[in-house]
Amino acid sequence: MSYEANVRRVTPYVPGEQPKEKNIIKLNTNENPYPPAPGWREIVNTIDEDAFRKYPDPLITDLTHAIAAYHKVDIDKVFVGIGSDDVLATAFLTLFNSEKPVIFPDITYSFYDVWADVFRIPYKTIPLDENFRIKAEDYNIPNGGIVIANPNAPTGILESVDFIEGIIKANPDSAVIVDEAYIDFGGETCLPLIDKYENLLVVRTFSKSRCMAGLRIGYAIGNVKMIKFISDVKFSINSYTLNTPTIALGLASLRDNEYFEECCQRVIATRERAEEQLIKLGFKSTNSYANFLFVSHKEKKAEYIFEELKKRKIYVRYFKKPRIDNYLRISIGTDDEMEKLVEALKEIV
Ligand SMILES: *Cc1c(COP(=O)(O)O)cnc(C)c1O
């Protein structure tokens, strides 16, 4: 006998490596290569001891207001959490409480099945087609909820708002979570649909397009009732999620829209250029709308290229998983970093 029989055992999600080594080119976790909006410096200088001594605002009022204003929605349609991972986990726990399986694509963000496992939510993965596209009709089955990353990860493939709407419309008895972690890199958002469909939740993050992965800010937008359900669960686990400095720094990012848009445009421009260069080297590439490319080489194996790049201190992401084990996911760095990547690949392939 042992306590171990009573333990909630799980196989955890494995994030991309964060090597301590200096002088590496890090294109493996979709961090933005640019600094956050420069207003953060002034904020850091104004942080006083109360920010550490006192509990932060449990309602995250100021940041919630600013996010609501940015998206032109009411504040009670916004839920803020510790990165979108926290927002998604809380949404899974709240919205997916059915005996029927939650459904999502077989190739997608690899945290979804981990949350389903840890919360004991039944789930079923639905195979994407041979071009990694969602087949909408496959989602017309009894289910306890739906999760779609749009653009999808790690493929970068974007589906249209009309296409996603079809799935939401066909499933009025299921909560549908649309994870828009990468939407700012050229995609069209499903946000306007939240007033039309009470079962839709759109999730966003400051980590990718706002260059703030280290701060951990994510949020969800949905109708008032759904946001209240999620908020009730949050207040049943942890009242104080975002800390005071993080809230202030998030506000600074939202104040500088010009910088934000310029940053996104730079990433998009670099992505298009890098893609062209990789195609010339014999790679095929999905049409990515994210801050990464998803590529496969016609001769050299992805795992080999991954190892060779690593020897040259260039880190990209390789997933040893069915269907995608001959692909590499390469985050978009600065032009200079992408140039170095291309030079290295010229030697390797
Ligand atoms: C990066 C990512 C997230 C998580 O981002 P946070 O840093 O936790 O906000 C969520 N979903 C997808 C698809 C992602 O790629």
Side-chain angles (χ1 to χ4, degrees), residues 83-85 88 109 112 149 153 179 181-182 205 207-208 216-217:
S84 55
D85 285 342
L88 286 161
Y109 188 36
Y112 301 153
D179 181 350
Y182 300 103
T205 177
S207 297
K208 281 64 184 242
R216 316 304 301 130
I217 303 175

Side-chain angles (χ1 to χ4, degrees), residues 67-68 70-74 77-79 87 176 178 191 194 200-204 219-223 226-227 230:
I67 291 168
Y70 174 73
H71 288 295
K72 302 188 173 65
V73 299
D74 298 334
K77 293 180 178 168
V78 180
F79 173 84
V87 173
V176 179
V178 179
L191 274 176
I194 60 151
L200 170 64
L201 187 75
V202 177
V203 177
R204 294 285 194 93
Y219 59 97
I221 300 186
N223 72 81
M226 188 185 268
I227 293 299
I230 298 168

Side-chain angles (χ1 to χ4, degrees), residues 136-151:
E137 65 275 18
D138 291 356
Y139 289 72
N140 297 336
I141 57 167
N143 67 77
I146 296 174
V147 193
I148 294 171
N150 193 47

Side-chain angles (χ1 to χ4, degrees), residues 273-324:
R273 238 188 335 266
E275 183 179 37
E276 262 174 50
Q277 288 172 300
L278 294 197
I279 287 170
K280 278 188 200 143
L281 292 176
F283 286 91
K284 70 174 172 167
S285 172
T286 59
N287 186 18
S288 174
Y289 278 83
N291 67 340
F292 56 80
L293 292 170
F294 194 59
V295 297
S296 177
H297 194 263
K298 59 178 189 236
E299 283 155 19
K300 293 284 195 296
K301 288 268 171 267
E303 191 169 19
Y304 168 78
I305 301 171
F306 168 77
E307 295 296 346
E308 286 298 311
L309 284 172
K310 204 167 180 176
K311 283 183 200 160
R312 294 166 174 81
K313 295 193 178 203
I314 300 174
Y315 284 65
V316 300
R317 194 86 194 261
Y318 171 66
F319 299 92
K320 211 177 189 118
K321 287 189 172 178
R323 297 188 70 187
I324 57 169

Side-chain angles (χ1 to χ4, degrees), residues 133-324:
R133 303 300 293 254
I134 294 172
K135 288 182 281 177
E137 65 275 18
D138 291 356
Y139 289 72
N140 297 336
I141 57 167
N143 67 77
I146 296 174
V147 193
I148 294 171
N150 193 47
N152 197 10
T155 64
I157 291 172
L158 178 80
E159 300 294 351
S160 72
V161 172
D162 285 350
F163 179 89
I164 306 278
E165 180 171 7
I167 294 175
I168 300 166
K169 205 172 182 170
N171 289 278
D173 297 334
S174 303
V176 179
I177 297 177
V178 179
D179 181 350
E180 293 191 339
Y182 300 103
I183 201 72
D184 293 319
F185 301 106
E188 192 191 341
T189 178
C190 285
L191 274 176
L193 300 179
I194 60 151
D195 290 322
K196 212 165 153 189
Y197 299 98
E198 60 164 24
N199 58 327
L200 170 64
L201 187 75
V202 177
V203 177
R204 294 285 194 93
T205 177
F206 278 43
S207 297
K208 281 64 184 242
S209 56
R210 291 192 179 274
C211 323
M212 289 185 152
L215 275 190
R216 316 304 301 130
I217 303 175
Y219 59 97
I221 300 186
N223 72 81
V224 175
K225 202 172 189 181
M226 188 185 268
I227 293 299
K228 172 75 163 58
F229 286 138
I230 298 168
S231 182
D232 286 347
V233 169
K234 170 217 149 155
F235 280 104
S236 308
I237 297 174
N238 182 2
S239 309
Y240 305 109
T241 49
L242 264 62
N243 61 61
T244 303
T246 295
I247 293 170
L249 291 161
L251 283 167
S253 168
L254 286 167
R255 269 184 223 119
D256 197 341
N257 204 45
E258 202 176 319
Y259 180 89
F260 168 70
E261 281 173 8
E262 188 197 311
C263 232
C264 292
Q265 287 312 316
R266 278 169 85 173
V267 170
I268 292 168
T270 306
R271 177 184 74 205
E272 301 307 305
R273 238 188 335 266
E275 183 179 37
E276 262 174 50
Q277 288 172 300
L278 294 197
I279 287 170
K280 278 188 200 143
L281 292 176
F283 286 91
K284 70 174 172 167
S285 172
T286 59
N287 186 18
S288 174
Y289 278 83
N291 67 340
F292 56 80
L293 292 170
F294 194 59
V295 297
S296 177
H297 194 263
K298 59 178 189 236
E299 283 155 19
K300 293 284 195 296
K301 288 268 171 267
E303 191 169 19
Y304 168 78
I305 301 171
F306 168 77
E307 295 296 346
E308 286 298 311
L309 284 172
K310 204 167 180 176
K311 283 183 200 160
R312 294 166 174 81
K313 295 193 178 203
I314 300 174
Y315 284 65
V316 300
R317 194 86 194 261
Y318 171 66
F319 299 92
K320 211 177 189 118
K321 287 189 172 178
R323 297 188 70 187
I324 57 169

Side-chain angles (χ1 to χ4, degrees), residues 70-110:
Y70 174 73
H71 288 295
K72 302 188 173 65
V73 299
D74 298 334
I75 53 159
D76 44 8
K77 293 180 178 168
V78 180
F79 173 84
V80 180
I82 313 166
S84 55
D85 285 342
D86 174 53
V87 173
L88 286 161
T90 312
F92 268 55
L93 188 56
T94 311
L95 304 174
F96 300 155
N97 192 31
S98 168
E99 316 263 283
K100 289 180 240 164
V102 166
I103 54 178
F104 45 84
D106 61 337
I107 299 161
T108 190
Y109 188 36
S110 42

